[in-house]
Amino acid sequence: MDADWFVCAMPAERARMLWNREILDLDPTLAAMNNLVTDWMNGIQFYLTADTPITNGHLGFIDSPWALSALNQGQFWKSRDLARDYGDGTVRDILSVDISDWNTPGILYGKPAMDCTREQIAAETWAQIQAGLYGKNKALLRDDCVHSWYLDPAIQWSNTEGRNTNDEPLLINTAGSWDQRPTTHTNIPNLFLAGDYVRTNIDLATMEGANESGRAAANAILDATGSNAEPATVFQLNRLPQFEPAKQLDRQRYAAGQPHLLDTP
């Protein structure tokens, strides 16, 4: 393929498969991407026939074996009526759930999500959410209000492996991983990178970080071409000043070779 400029916009585990010997000879730093770690964090949505305003924000089920977190979507769509605008007219809310631990046995089948069928994943996730609620919130999530569910299609059963596969693993920020992540403009003059693994002001694998990397790649191309076009706006992550003293203390302890305060006996 002939082009003046190339933007590689794909996940880290796919992008690093493209780095052949010729590319690595031109930019050896890209080889560090092989050290980046990915894990499974995929979602399932439950479509509900009743309003379930559990909380005005994210839900974290810290005692769930599958490390679940969730969000009631309906309450945030102020300009929409789910029953009126979507589906068959009976769905009133959507519970969107992230499954972050695919290796720990669940409470229904005693199996990790990786070894469960799609139906078992749905049933197990629902059971763990119900077990994590209490009082009026527990009463909101009745079995009879589940209209249907939808599991991330990246999760597929492999008869060969006898378990699920995941076509979309998530980049995990491990200690020291910042040094393994490339910038948007590589040492190859006409090769640019965009993705949640690229170094940005949002040091986390998120859609926001991926979007920022796309804007950074566009700006890098403008710089490389000498264009006088208006650059894309790049945002700074809001850092709450209340956390800065704790961060400074942690940096001091790290520099002194001391453990994090939460890791001390």
Side-chain angles (χ1 to χ4, degrees), residues 40 53-54 58 76 79 113 131 133 143 156 163 174 191 194 205 220 224 242 255:
W40 293 25
I54 298 173
H58 279 84
F76 299 109
S79 63
L133 298 176
D143 292 341
Q156 292 291 328
R163 55 175 27 194
T174 55
L191 177 60
Q242 294 91 332

Side-chain angles (χ1 to χ4, degrees), residues 58-258:
H58 279 84
L59 293 157
F61 298 89
I62 59 176
D63 58 348
S64 60
W66 289 3
L68 303 178
S69 58
L71 183 73
N72 284 102
Q73 293 187 16
Q75 62 185 315
F76 299 109
W77 297 6
K78 300 300 185 184
S79 63
R80 298 282 183 172
D81 183 300
L82 287 174
R84 181 194 66 204
D85 299 331
Y86 299 99
D88 62 4
T90 64
V91 172
R92 302 191 60 84
D93 205 350
I94 303 173
L95 185 66
S96 184
V97 186
D98 280 331
I99 305 171
S100 299
D101 186 335
W102 289 74
N103 300 297
T104 299
I107 63 177
L108 278 186
Y109 305 103
K111 298 191 297 184
M114 193 174 289
D115 294 337
C116 289
T117 66
R118 300 174 70 83
E119 290 73 19
Q120 288 174 334
I121 290 174
E124 180 75 59
T125 302
W126 183 256
Q128 290 186 31
I129 289 176
Q130 286 183 318
L133 298 176
Y134 58 91
K136 65 178 182 64
N137 289 329
K138 191 177 187 70
L140 286 174
L141 289 187
R142 307 185 316 274
D143 292 341
D144 61 3
C145 75
V146 178
H147 174 282
S148 54
W149 51 266
Y150 183 80
L151 179 64
D152 186 343
I155 302 298
Q156 292 291 328
W157 184 263
S158 170
N159 288 324
T160 302
E161 299 181 22
R163 55 175 27 194
N164 288 305
T165 61
N166 185 354
D167 195 45
E168 296 179 354
L170 181 71
L171 176 71
I172 302 298
N173 283 22
T174 55
S177 62
W178 179 261
D179 294 332
Q180 317 296 332
R181 294 163 61 179
T183 58
T184 189
H185 196 175
T186 70
N187 290 332
I188 302 173
N190 65 340
L191 177 60
F192 304 83
L193 306 179
D196 60 8
Y197 66 93
V198 176
R199 293 185 190 180
T200 68
N201 292 320
I202 302 175
D203 182 18
L204 189 64
T206 61
M207 182 56 68
E208 291 79 8
N211 287 339
E212 184 184 340
S213 75
R215 292 189 289 271
N219 290 343
I221 293 175
L222 293 178
D223 291 340
T225 59
S227 172
N228 58 5
E230 183 177 354
T233 301
V234 177
F235 301 91
Q236 293 291 328
L237 181 66
N238 181 36
R239 301 182 184 277
L240 295 175
Q242 294 91 332
F243 294 133
E244 291 308 314
K247 293 179 182 179
Q248 181 60 32
L249 176 60
D250 186 49
R251 283 191 286 266
Q252 293 172 353
R253 293 181 64 86
Y254 180 80
Q258 299 175 329

Side-chain angles (χ1 to χ4, degrees), residues 46-63:
F46 293 95
Y47 300 94
L48 310 175
T49 58
D51 293 321
T52 55
I54 298 173
T55 187
N56 186 30
H58 279 84
L59 293 157
F61 298 89
I62 59 176
D63 58 348

